[in-house]
Amino acid sequence: MNVATVAGGLVALFIAAAAFVSVRRRGGAPGSVGLALRLLAVAATAWIVVALMPFTIDDSGAAASYLLGVPVVVAVCPLISDLTHRAVGITTAVAALVMLLWALILGLGIGLWFVLPALLLGMAAIATTASRPATAPRNQDA
C-alpha cells in the first residue's frame, strides 16, 4: 500500500461520510438514496484515481490526464445535475453508461477499477427514477 492509496482512501471516506450525513439529515425524502449513491460513486472514483495516479503517470505520461480525468468528470456531472435539479435521472444514467464504456475501453489495465463507480451510478439512476412521483392521470370526461 502506498501513500497515494492511503490518501485516496481518506478522501473517499470523507466523501462517504458526507453521503451518510446527507441521507440522515434528509430522512426519507425522495432522492436521498440516489444522492447518497452518487456521492459514493464520486468517493470511489476519487479513491481509484488518486491510487492509480502514480502508476498511470509512470506508464502513460501526459496521457494520464485524460485516462483518469474522464472518470472524474463523468462522476461529478450527476452531482452538478443534482444541485441544479435538472435531468438528474437521465444524467446519472448516461454517466453510468459512459463510466462503464470507459472501463471497457481501458480494458484489463486500469479500466477494471472503474466498474465499481459505474455500478454505483447505475444504482443511483434506478433509485432516482424509482423515487419520482407518478403523474396523475388526466380526467378525459371534463
Side-chain angles (χ1 to χ4, degrees), residues 35-64:
L35 175 63
L37 287 170
R38 282 187 289 280
L39 283 170
L40 288 175
V42 169
T45 304
W47 188 357
I48 292 165
V49 165
V50 172
L52 291 177
M53 192 174 299
F55 305 115
T56 309
I57 290 173
D58 287 343
D59 185 45
S60 303

Side-chain angles (χ1 to χ4, degrees), residues 70-95:
V70 169
V72 171
V73 170
V74 167
V76 170
C77 282
L79 285 180
I80 294 170
S81 173
D82 195 19
L83 287 174
T84 61
H85 301 292
R86 295 186 186 259
V88 178
I90 190 69
T91 306
T92 307
V94 169

Side-chain angles (χ1 to χ4, degrees), residues 11-39:
V11 169
L13 284 175
F14 179 75
I15 296 171
F20 289 119
V21 167
S22 173
V23 167
R24 185 171 181 167
R25 184 176 26 169
R26 285 183 163 198
S32 62
V33 174
L35 175 63
L37 287 170
R38 282 187 289 280
L39 283 170

